[in-house]
Amino acid sequence: AALAQAEKIVVHCTSDRDEIGIRTLVGEYVEEGSNHARKFYKKTQKIPGHEEINVYLYFWDTRDGDSFSGWWFGNQVGGAQVWSRNAQATQRPPRSGWTIPWDG
């Protein structure tokens, strides 16, 4: 039997702004599990100077209201420290439409 390969995705930015928020998010992510009926992902590279911080890309459903629903980048799945949000309820992380900061 073949082993299931964990899905990998690469996050990149087309903006020419060089901001710490963007540099925190770009890189390779590997599938870690599921949350709210969607896969979630963990960044494989460490953040230079902040090696202790993990970055996750995950989906949150409408259980806490529409303003919390969508795809998120945060330091843990469902945590309070988040950097970016996309309100789309797609099965996979959207390629565009992200806001940085998440409430910007």
mmCIF file of all heavy atoms in Angstrom, residues 69-102:
data_model
loop_
_atom_site.group_PDB
_atom_site.id
_atom_site.type_symbol
_atom_site.label_atom_id
_atom_site.label_comp_id
_atom_site.label_asym_id
_atom_site.label_seq_id
_atom_site.Cartn_x
_atom_site.Cartn_y
_atom_site.Cartn_z
ATOM 1 N N SER A 69 -14.713 34.041 10.240
ATOM 2 C CA SER A 69 -14.686 32.940 9.287
ATOM 3 C C SER A 69 -13.715 33.236 8.155
ATOM 4 O O SER A 69 -13.547 34.373 7.741
ATOM 5 C CB SER A 69 -16.090 32.731 8.713
ATOM 6 O OG SER A 69 -16.086 31.724 7.747
ATOM 7 N N GLY A 70 -13.085 32.172 7.656
ATOM 8 C CA GLY A 70 -12.192 32.302 6.515
ATOM 9 C C GLY A 70 -10.856 31.629 6.782
ATOM 10 O O GLY A 70 -10.682 30.882 7.743
ATOM 11 N N TRP A 71 -9.912 31.888 5.892
ATOM 12 C CA TRP A 71 -8.552 31.362 6.004
ATOM 13 C C TRP A 71 -7.684 32.344 6.778
ATOM 14 O O TRP A 71 -7.810 33.554 6.599
ATOM 15 C CB TRP A 71 -7.982 31.121 4.613
ATOM 16 C CG TRP A 71 -8.577 29.929 3.956
ATOM 17 C CD1 TRP A 71 -9.671 29.905 3.133
ATOM 18 C CD2 TRP A 71 -8.149 28.581 4.086
ATOM 19 N NE1 TRP A 71 -9.935 28.615 2.749
ATOM 20 C CE2 TRP A 71 -9.011 27.780 3.312
ATOM 21 C CE3 TRP A 71 -7.106 27.962 4.777
ATOM 22 C CZ2 TRP A 71 -8.864 26.402 3.208
ATOM 23 C CZ3 TRP A 71 -6.953 26.597 4.670
ATOM 24 C CH2 TRP A 71 -7.830 25.828 3.896
ATOM 25 N N TRP A 72 -6.823 31.813 7.620
ATOM 26 C CA TRP A 72 -5.977 32.631 8.501
ATOM 27 C C TRP A 72 -4.531 32.159 8.480
ATOM 28 O O TRP A 72 -4.259 30.970 8.333
ATOM 29 C CB TRP A 72 -6.468 32.513 9.941
ATOM 30 C CG TRP A 72 -7.822 33.071 10.186
ATOM 31 C CD1 TRP A 72 -9.019 32.423 10.029
ATOM 32 C CD2 TRP A 72 -8.147 34.379 10.652
ATOM 33 N NE1 TRP A 72 -10.060 33.258 10.362
ATOM 34 C CE2 TRP A 72 -9.544 34.457 10.754
ATOM 35 C CE3 TRP A 72 -7.381 35.487 11.009
ATOM 36 C CZ2 TRP A 72 -10.198 35.614 11.183
ATOM 37 C CZ3 TRP A 72 -8.022 36.628 11.439
ATOM 38 C CH2 TRP A 72 -9.411 36.691 11.522
ATOM 39 N N PHE A 73 -3.614 33.104 8.684
ATOM 40 C CA PHE A 73 -2.233 32.798 9.059
ATOM 41 C C PHE A 73 -2.101 33.188 10.520
ATOM 42 O O PHE A 73 -2.414 34.325 10.899
ATOM 43 C CB PHE A 73 -1.239 33.642 8.253
ATOM 44 C CG PHE A 73 -1.040 33.192 6.842
ATOM 45 C CD1 PHE A 73 -1.737 33.785 5.808
ATOM 46 C CD2 PHE A 73 -0.125 32.191 6.540
ATOM 47 C CE1 PHE A 73 -1.536 33.391 4.492
ATOM 48 C CE2 PHE A 73 0.090 31.789 5.234
ATOM 49 C CZ PHE A 73 -0.625 32.394 4.211
ATOM 50 N N GLY A 74 -1.641 32.257 11.358
ATOM 51 C CA GLY A 74 -1.470 32.551 12.773
ATOM 52 C C GLY A 74 -0.391 31.686 13.394
ATOM 53 O O GLY A 74 0.127 30.769 12.762
ATOM 54 N N ASN A 75 -0.065 31.956 14.667
ATOM 55 C CA ASN A 75 1.000 31.208 15.329
ATOM 56 C C ASN A 75 0.511 29.876 15.894
ATOM 57 O O ASN A 75 1.310 29.081 16.385
ATOM 58 C CB ASN A 75 1.675 32.040 16.410
ATOM 59 C CG ASN A 75 0.780 32.295 17.604
ATOM 60 O OD1 ASN A 75 -0.446 32.212 17.502
ATOM 61 N ND2 ASN A 75 1.379 32.608 18.735
ATOM 62 N N GLN A 76 -0.800 29.650 15.852
ATOM 63 C CA GLN A 76 -1.372 28.342 16.164
ATOM 64 C C GLN A 76 -2.756 28.291 15.531
ATOM 65 O O GLN A 76 -3.336 29.322 15.205
ATOM 66 C CB GLN A 76 -1.438 28.095 17.671
ATOM 67 C CG GLN A 76 -2.248 29.105 18.449
ATOM 68 C CD GLN A 76 -2.130 28.889 19.956
ATOM 69 O OE1 GLN A 76 -1.217 28.232 20.430
ATOM 70 N NE2 GLN A 76 -3.045 29.448 20.697
ATOM 71 N N VAL A 77 -3.269 27.093 15.345
ATOM 72 C CA VAL A 77 -4.582 26.939 14.730
ATOM 73 C C VAL A 77 -5.642 27.445 15.707
ATOM 74 O O VAL A 77 -5.748 26.946 16.824
ATOM 75 C CB VAL A 77 -4.843 25.465 14.339
ATOM 76 C CG1 VAL A 77 -6.258 25.289 13.814
ATOM 77 C CG2 VAL A 77 -3.831 25.009 13.304
ATOM 78 N N GLY A 78 -6.378 28.474 15.303
ATOM 79 C CA GLY A 78 -7.422 29.042 16.156
ATOM 80 C C GLY A 78 -6.921 29.956 17.246
ATOM 81 O O GLY A 78 -7.672 30.320 18.142
ATOM 82 N N GLY A 79 -5.669 30.366 17.171
ATOM 83 C CA GLY A 79 -5.090 31.220 18.214
ATOM 84 C C GLY A 79 -5.428 32.688 18.043
ATOM 85 O O GLY A 79 -6.008 33.107 17.044
ATOM 86 N N ALA A 80 -5.037 33.474 19.029
ATOM 87 C CA ALA A 80 -5.327 34.911 19.023
ATOM 88 C C ALA A 80 -4.302 35.707 18.227
ATOM 89 O O ALA A 80 -4.589 36.816 17.785
ATOM 90 C CB ALA A 80 -5.388 35.435 20.459
ATOM 91 N N GLN A 81 -3.086 35.171 18.036
ATOM 92 C CA GLN A 81 -2.039 35.875 17.282
ATOM 93 C C GLN A 81 -2.175 35.514 15.814
ATOM 94 O O GLN A 81 -1.843 34.402 15.411
ATOM 95 C CB GLN A 81 -0.660 35.470 17.809
ATOM 96 C CG GLN A 81 0.508 36.041 17.009
ATOM 97 C CD GLN A 81 0.623 37.533 17.132
ATOM 98 O OE1 GLN A 81 0.668 38.070 18.230
ATOM 99 N NE2 GLN A 81 0.671 38.233 16.016
ATOM 100 N N VAL A 82 -2.703 36.448 15.015
ATOM 101 C CA VAL A 82 -2.878 36.212 13.586
ATOM 102 C C VAL A 82 -2.276 37.359 12.794
ATOM 103 O O VAL A 82 -2.223 38.498 13.265
ATOM 104 C CB VAL A 82 -4.374 36.024 13.213
ATOM 105 C CG1 VAL A 82 -4.908 34.733 13.802
ATOM 106 C CG2 VAL A 82 -5.213 37.199 13.661
ATOM 107 N N TRP A 83 -1.821 37.048 11.579
ATOM 108 C CA TRP A 83 -1.162 38.048 10.748
ATOM 109 C C TRP A 83 -1.951 38.413 9.506
ATOM 110 O O TRP A 83 -1.801 39.512 8.985
ATOM 111 C CB TRP A 83 0.218 37.547 10.331
ATOM 112 C CG TRP A 83 1.142 37.344 11.482
ATOM 113 C CD1 TRP A 83 1.738 38.324 12.229
ATOM 114 C CD2 TRP A 83 1.570 36.102 12.040
ATOM 115 N NE1 TRP A 83 2.512 37.739 13.208
ATOM 116 C CE2 TRP A 83 2.425 36.385 13.119
ATOM 117 C CE3 TRP A 83 1.303 34.766 11.723
ATOM 118 C CZ2 TRP A 83 3.023 35.392 13.881
ATOM 119 C CZ3 TRP A 83 1.900 33.774 12.483
ATOM 120 C CH2 TRP A 83 2.754 34.091 13.545
ATOM 121 N N SER A 84 -2.753 37.488 9.007
ATOM 122 C CA SER A 84 -3.444 37.741 7.748
ATOM 123 C C SER A 84 -4.720 36.904 7.676
ATOM 124 O O SER A 84 -4.797 35.831 8.269
ATOM 125 C CB SER A 84 -2.525 37.380 6.575
ATOM 126 O OG SER A 84 -3.137 37.655 5.337
ATOM 127 N N ARG A 85 -5.724 37.432 6.945
ATOM 128 C CA ARG A 85 -7.008 36.735 6.798
ATOM 129 C C ARG A 85 -7.503 36.851 5.371
ATOM 130 O O ARG A 85 -7.272 37.856 4.691
ATOM 131 C CB ARG A 85 -8.045 37.346 7.727
ATOM 132 C CG ARG A 85 -9.436 36.750 7.542
ATOM 133 C CD ARG A 85 -10.459 37.393 8.455
ATOM 134 N NE ARG A 85 -11.777 36.816 8.217
ATOM 135 C CZ ARG A 85 -12.847 37.523 7.935
ATOM 136 N NH1 ARG A 85 -12.787 38.838 7.873
ATOM 137 N NH2 ARG A 85 -14.005 36.920 7.729
ATOM 138 N N ASN A 86 -8.211 35.813 4.944
ATOM 139 C CA ASN A 86 -8.928 35.827 3.680
ATOM 140 C C ASN A 86 -10.317 35.278 3.973
ATOM 141 O O ASN A 86 -10.454 34.158 4.449
ATOM 142 C CB ASN A 86 -8.213 34.962 2.638
ATOM 143 C CG ASN A 86 -8.808 35.104 1.268
ATOM 144 O OD1 ASN A 86 -10.018 34.991 1.089
ATOM 145 N ND2 ASN A 86 -7.972 35.351 0.279
ATOM 146 N N ALA A 87 -11.359 36.058 3.713
ATOM 147 C CA ALA A 87 -12.726 35.704 4.107
ATOM 148 C C ALA A 87 -13.355 34.619 3.236
ATOM 149 O O ALA A 87 -14.443 34.148 3.549
ATOM 150 C CB ALA A 87 -13.607 36.948 4.090
ATOM 151 N N GLN A 88 -12.684 34.186 2.167
ATOM 152 C CA GLN A 88 -13.267 33.167 1.294
ATOM 153 C C GLN A 88 -13.403 31.834 2.018
ATOM 154 O O GLN A 88 -12.548 31.460 2.812
ATOM 155 C CB GLN A 88 -12.402 32.977 0.048
ATOM 156 C CG GLN A 88 -12.324 34.216 -0.834
ATOM 157 C CD GLN A 88 -11.456 33.963 -2.037
ATOM 158 O OE1 GLN A 88 -11.735 33.071 -2.838
ATOM 159 N NE2 GLN A 88 -10.394 34.749 -2.172
ATOM 160 N N ALA A 89 -14.475 31.104 1.721
ATOM 161 C CA ALA A 89 -14.733 29.799 2.339
ATOM 162 C C ALA A 89 -14.408 28.662 1.375
ATOM 163 O O ALA A 89 -15.129 27.672 1.291
ATOM 164 C CB ALA A 89 -16.183 29.716 2.799
ATOM 165 N N THR A 90 -13.305 28.778 0.666
ATOM 166 C CA THR A 90 -12.893 27.784 -0.316
ATOM 167 C C THR A 90 -12.370 26.517 0.371
ATOM 168 O O THR A 90 -11.999 26.547 1.548
ATOM 169 C CB THR A 90 -11.788 28.373 -1.211
ATOM 170 O OG1 THR A 90 -10.748 28.879 -0.372
ATOM 171 C CG2 THR A 90 -12.324 29.508 -2.074
ATOM 172 N N GLN A 91 -12.323 25.424 -0.375
ATOM 173 C CA GLN A 91 -11.802 24.167 0.168
ATOM 174 C C GLN A 91 -10.297 24.230 0.394
ATOM 175 O O GLN A 91 -9.768 23.606 1.290
ATOM 176 C CB GLN A 91 -12.120 22.996 -0.768
ATOM 177 C CG GLN A 91 -13.523 22.453 -0.611
ATOM 178 C CD GLN A 91 -13.797 21.940 0.801
ATOM 179 O OE1 GLN A 91 -14.614 22.482 1.520
ATOM 180 N NE2 GLN A 91 -13.089 20.920 1.216
ATOM 181 N N ARG A 92 -9.614 24.968 -0.461
ATOM 182 C CA ARG A 92 -8.154 25.125 -0.358
ATOM 183 C C ARG A 92 -7.831 26.599 -0.126
ATOM 184 O O ARG A 92 -8.635 27.461 -0.452
ATOM 185 C CB ARG A 92 -7.487 24.626 -1.630
ATOM 186 C CG ARG A 92 -7.685 23.126 -1.860
ATOM 187 C CD ARG A 92 -7.002 22.660 -3.133
ATOM 188 N NE ARG A 92 -5.717 23.286 -3.356
ATOM 189 C CZ ARG A 92 -4.558 22.803 -2.920
ATOM 190 N NH1 ARG A 92 -4.501 21.695 -2.266
ATOM 191 N NH2 ARG A 92 -3.425 23.444 -3.162
ATOM 192 N N PRO A 93 -6.660 26.881 0.401
ATOM 193 C CA PRO A 93 -6.300 28.290 0.642
ATOM 194 C C PRO A 93 -6.362 29.107 -0.650
ATOM 195 O O PRO A 93 -5.849 28.673 -1.680
ATOM 196 C CB PRO A 93 -4.862 28.207 1.164
ATOM 197 C CG PRO A 93 -4.726 26.819 1.695
ATOM 198 C CD PRO A 93 -5.611 25.960 0.843
ATOM 199 N N PRO A 94 -6.997 30.275 -0.617
ATOM 200 C CA PRO A 94 -7.098 31.125 -1.811
ATOM 201 C C PRO A 94 -5.738 31.668 -2.248
ATOM 202 O O PRO A 94 -4.850 31.892 -1.422
ATOM 203 C CB PRO A 94 -7.999 32.277 -1.360
ATOM 204 C CG PRO A 94 -8.650 31.809 -0.107
ATOM 205 C CD PRO A 94 -7.716 30.836 0.518
ATOM 206 N N ARG A 95 -5.611 31.907 -3.548
ATOM 207 C CA ARG A 95 -4.364 32.442 -4.092
ATOM 208 C C ARG A 95 -4.270 33.959 -3.960
ATOM 209 O O ARG A 95 -3.177 34.518 -4.012
ATOM 210 C CB ARG A 95 -4.229 32.070 -5.566
ATOM 211 C CG ARG A 95 -4.029 30.598 -5.786
ATOM 212 C CD ARG A 95 -3.865 30.292 -7.270
ATOM 213 N NE ARG A 95 -3.524 28.905 -7.492
ATOM 214 C CZ ARG A 95 -2.283 28.448 -7.615
ATOM 215 N NH1 ARG A 95 -1.280 29.288 -7.532
ATOM 216 N NH2 ARG A 95 -2.058 27.175 -7.807
ATOM 217 N N SER A 96 -5.401 34.625 -3.799
ATOM 218 C CA SER A 96 -5.369 36.087 -3.719
ATOM 219 C C SER A 96 -6.491 36.562 -2.794
ATOM 220 O O SER A 96 -7.360 35.780 -2.405
ATOM 221 C CB SER A 96 -5.543 36.707 -5.117
ATOM 222 O OG SER A 96 -6.780 36.321 -5.656
ATOM 223 N N GLY A 97 -6.446 37.839 -2.442
ATOM 224 C CA GLY A 97 -7.494 38.429 -1.611
ATOM 225 C C GLY A 97 -7.159 38.468 -0.121
ATOM 226 O O GLY A 97 -8.044 38.649 0.706
ATOM 227 N N TRP A 98 -5.893 38.326 0.218
ATOM 228 C CA TRP A 98 -5.465 38.333 1.629
ATOM 229 C C TRP A 98 -5.287 39.753 2.131
ATOM 230 O O TRP A 98 -4.868 40.643 1.392
ATOM 231 C CB TRP A 98 -4.146 37.578 1.755
ATOM 232 C CG TRP A 98 -4.311 36.120 1.490
ATOM 233 C CD1 TRP A 98 -4.213 35.505 0.276
ATOM 234 C CD2 TRP A 98 -4.632 35.114 2.433
ATOM 235 N NE1 TRP A 98 -4.455 34.154 0.422
ATOM 236 C CE2 TRP A 98 -4.710 33.890 1.737
ATOM 237 C CE3 TRP A 98 -4.860 35.107 3.820
ATOM 238 C CZ2 TRP A 98 -5.005 32.688 2.372
ATOM 239 C CZ3 TRP A 98 -5.150 33.914 4.438
ATOM 240 C CH2 TRP A 98 -5.216 32.727 3.714
ATOM 241 N N THR A 99 -5.608 39.999 3.405
ATOM 242 C CA THR A 99 -5.363 41.295 4.016
ATOM 243 C C THR A 99 -4.269 41.155 5.063
ATOM 244 O O THR A 99 -4.276 40.228 5.879
ATOM 245 C CB THR A 99 -6.631 41.866 4.681
ATOM 246 O OG1 THR A 99 -7.154 40.897 5.589
ATOM 247 C CG2 THR A 99 -7.682 42.209 3.657
ATOM 248 N N ILE A 100 -3.292 42.070 4.991
ATOM 249 C CA ILE A 100 -2.200 42.157 5.964
ATOM 250 C C ILE A 100 -2.119 43.613 6.381
ATOM 251 O O ILE A 100 -1.874 44.463 5.545
ATOM 252 C CB ILE A 100 -0.855 41.724 5.346
ATOM 253 C CG1 ILE A 100 -0.933 40.298 4.825
ATOM 254 C CG2 ILE A 100 0.278 41.871 6.360
ATOM 255 C CD1 ILE A 100 0.315 39.858 4.070
ATOM 256 N N PRO A 101 -2.326 43.946 7.651
ATOM 257 C CA PRO A 101 -2.714 43.031 8.717
ATOM 258 C C PRO A 101 -4.128 42.488 8.509
ATOM 259 O O PRO A 101 -4.859 42.996 7.659
ATOM 260 C CB PRO A 101 -2.650 43.896 9.985
ATOM 261 C CG PRO A 101 -2.847 45.291 9.491
ATOM 262 C CD PRO A 101 -2.255 45.326 8.111
ATOM 263 N N TRP A 102 -4.509 41.489 9.288
ATOM 264 C CA TRP A 102 -5.782 40.768 9.064
ATOM 265 C C TRP A 102 -6.995 41.688 9.142
ATOM 266 O O TRP A 102 -7.984 41.452 8.479
ATOM 267 C CB TRP A 102 -5.921 39.621 10.057
ATOM 268 C CG TRP A 102 -6.176 40.063 11.478
ATOM 269 C CD1 TRP A 102 -5.231 40.336 12.427
ATOM 270 C CD2 TRP A 102 -7.436 40.289 12.097
ATOM 271 N NE1 TRP A 102 -5.828 40.718 13.589
ATOM 272 C CE2 TRP A 102 -7.178 40.698 13.419
ATOM 273 C CE3 TRP A 102 -8.760 40.176 11.681
ATOM 274 C CZ2 TRP A 102 -8.207 41.011 14.321
ATOM 275 C CZ3 TRP A 102 -9.770 40.496 12.575
ATOM 276 C CH2 TRP A 102 -9.488 40.896 13.884
#
